[in-house]
Amino acid sequence: MNQDDAPGAARATQIWVDADACPAVVRDILFRAAERARVPLTLVANQWLRTPPSRYIRALQVQGGYDVADDAIAGRAGPGDLVVTQDIPLAARVLERGAEAVNPRGERFTADNIAQRLSMRNFMDELRGAGVQTGGPAAFHARDRQAFANVLDGWLARRR
């Protein structure tokens, strides 16, 4: 158990990243923000990740397997934390724990939109399961990077 997990320990808000599918450009934005704002940043993945040397940045490698990284994040994220993920069920789990959630395109997951997003995700899964070609996500653009940076800056400003 580390200090963050100790009962009654003072807990600093931090950023958790579902890093297996997080674009490198978003990770770079997060690295710079963690240093600038001195906020703890943890990338969670089932593979080894290179991170810059920093007292604020760490990588947590979890075992491979379905939802292992998601479970690690959901079990650690708490009130006021920011979770960066494309995984809608993970976003729902961390919202229930009082954390904020955003995807790498800067789209916030909220109590007001998470049920609709889960329904749409499940519907698309059903279509794919029936053999319907649904296509993949749109290409990642500079406007997505900027939208993410804006949401991150807003979270950092509220944190102070």
Side-chain angles (χ1 to χ4, degrees):
M1 179 174 353
N2 66 34
Q3 181 182 0
D4 294 333
D5 298 329
R11 190 181 168 287
T13 56
Q14 56 190 303
I15 302 170
W16 298 93
V17 182
D18 184 3
D20 284 320
C22 186
V25 65
V26 170
R27 287 196 307 261
D28 290 341
I29 291 168
L30 289 162
F31 294 154
R32 287 191 302 274
E35 281 297 313
R36 181 181 76 243
R38 298 180 176 163
V39 59
L41 167 66
T42 304
L43 288 85
V44 182
N46 60 17
Q47 59 189 342
W48 180 82
L49 295 171
R50 179 184 305 269
T51 59
S54 168
R55 62 184 288 202
Y56 303 105
I57 302 168
R58 72 181 181 122
L60 175 62
Q61 184 177 354
V62 297
Q63 293 179 346
Y66 188 72
D67 284 344
V68 176
D70 296 353
D71 292 343
I73 294 169
R76 290 172 172 87
D81 287 351
L82 179 65
V83 175
V84 179
T85 184
Q86 295 182 66
D87 188 286
I88 297 168
L90 172 59
R93 291 171 68 187
V94 301
L95 287 173
E96 288 175 2
R97 293 181 54 95
E100 295 184 41
V102 62
N103 73 18
R105 295 176 187 272
E107 298 166 347
R108 294 184 64 229
F109 297 103
T110 67
D112 293 333
N113 70 20
I114 197 66
Q116 184 271 334
R117 287 178 178 251
L118 281 167
S119 293
M120 181 57 73
R121 174 201 174 269
N122 293 340
F123 174 69
M124 298 302 281
D125 276 351
E126 288 177 21
L127 286 178
R128 284 187 291 274
V132 176
Q133 296 294 323
T134 58
F140 194 82
H141 292 287
R143 70 179 169 269
D144 300 316
R145 183 179 66 235
Q146 186 61 52
F148 176 81
N150 290 342
V151 170
L152 177 61
D153 285 345
W155 181 82
L156 290 168
R158 287 190 308 278
R159 182 179 170 271
R160 287 187 204 117

